[in-house]
Amino acid sequence: MSKAPFPEAKLLARLQQLIGATDLVITSAQEQQLIALVAMLQKWNKAYNLTSVRDPQEMLVRHILDSLVISPYLHGDHIIDVGTGPGLPGLPLAICNPDKQFVLLDSLGKRINFIRQVVHELKLTNVTPVLARVQDYQPSQGFSSVISRAFASLADMLSWCHHLPSADGRFIALKGQPTEEELATVALPYSIKGVYALHVPELDAARHVVEIQKE
């Protein structure tokens, strides 16, 4: 029995509908790249178990839109996604912000191999995949934004990633519903610049950005 073809046209229409429910402005070429990313995620997932999300329709909400809504909160144009997993949120953000440079860092080889394949197939010139533990990674220059998504507690993120931001760089921590207790763990020399609620269309869960800067 032959497998069902990848529903590209149906997914593209749904992606356009989801983006239409946000303030994001995305080109048709970027939409095609995002759909290609979903297709690759689904294909590689069967062998490499990159994500627990199996349904491409669900990937559009929980992976693509959940990544893209961070875009307005990116600071500067030299960005690292720490513990990127299969390139989330880094790959969708890089596709839709071609003027910014992204380092996608993870300690698991199969994830970095997947990201390298995506970079190759989608011809992304603004993505550098790095296989390393964050504590061992020593960049040649600091980053304007250090993103972490479901990577660690705020205290652990600041401890493990303290060497990554530039002098005016920001930590962009992606959280579900941050608690007052966790926010209270951010202490000098760091301070919270803002906690922003994110709207992800059709996602039945809270999403927030916690922006932190070194004083």
Side-chain angles (χ1 to χ4, degrees), residues 199-215:
H199 168 61
V200 183
E202 300 186 24
L203 183 70
D204 188 22
R207 289 288 186 269
H208 290 80
V209 160
V210 181
E211 184 180 4
I212 299 171
Q213 187 174 20
K214 192 171 184 177
E215 294 298 329

Side-chain angles (χ1 to χ4, degrees), residues 114-144:
F114 171 73
I115 294 167
R116 286 177 180 143
Q117 190 62 28
V118 172
V119 168
H120 172 70
E121 290 196 22
L122 300 188
K123 298 179 172 59
L124 301 178
T125 59
N126 63 332
V127 174
T128 303
V130 174
L131 176 61
R133 292 169 70 246
V134 64
Q135 298 95 322
D136 301 331
Y137 176 59
Q138 298 295 329
S140 57
Q141 65 178 108
F143 293 91
S144 48

Side-chain angles (χ1 to χ4, degrees), residues 20-212:
T22 73
D23 294 329
L24 297 167
V25 178
I26 294 173
T27 69
S28 57
Q30 289 165 353
E31 289 173 351
Q32 294 287 352
Q33 286 182 306
L34 292 169
I35 295 299
L37 172 58
V38 170
M40 291 184 69
L41 262 174
Q42 187 195 35
K43 177 182 175 183
W44 277 61
N45 214 24
K46 291 165 184 164
Y48 288 87
N49 196 29
L50 296 169
T51 166
S52 60
V53 181
R54 304 292 179 188
D55 179 7
Q57 295 276 0
E58 202 177 342
M59 286 181 184
L60 287 180
V61 174
R62 292 180 59 186
H63 289 338
I64 303 303
L65 264 294
D66 200 27
S67 297
L68 291 181
V69 292
I70 303 155
S71 204
Y73 301 94
L74 295 177
H75 175 70
D77 57 9
H78 189 218
I79 295 155
I80 184 168
D81 178 10
V82 177
T84 186
L88 302 168
L91 285 173
L93 289 172
I95 286 169
C96 296
N97 293 275
D99 56 326
K100 301 180 188 295
Q101 294 295 318
F102 290 80
V103 169
L104 273 53
L105 183 140
D106 202 273
S107 60
L108 206 57
K110 67 179 182 180
R111 295 170 179 163
I112 294 299
N113 287 339
F114 171 73
I115 294 167
R116 286 177 180 143
Q117 190 62 28
V118 172
V119 168
H120 172 70
E121 290 196 22
L122 300 188
K123 298 179 172 59
L124 301 178
T125 59
N126 63 332
V127 174
T128 303
V130 174
L131 176 61
R133 292 169 70 246
V134 64
Q135 298 95 322
D136 301 331
Y137 176 59
Q138 298 295 329
S140 57
Q141 65 178 108
F143 293 91
S144 48
S145 286
V146 179
I147 302 174
S148 82
R149 177 184 190 244
F151 168 65
S153 68
L154 292 177
D156 283 345
M157 181 191 72
L158 295 174
S159 172
W160 299 341
C161 304
H162 65 91
H163 58 299
L164 297 180
S166 59
D168 65 341
R170 312 283 168 84
F171 290 96
I172 308 294
L174 313 175
K175 294 286 178 180
Q177 183 70 57
T179 64
E180 290 299 325
E181 290 82 0
E182 184 177 14
L183 294 175
T185 65
V186 177
L188 292 174
Y190 301 103
S191 66
I192 295 173
K193 293 300 175 186
V195 179
Y196 311 105
L198 301 174
H199 168 61
V200 183
E202 300 186 24
L203 183 70
D204 188 22
R207 289 288 186 269
H208 290 80
V209 160
V210 181
E211 184 180 4
I212 299 171

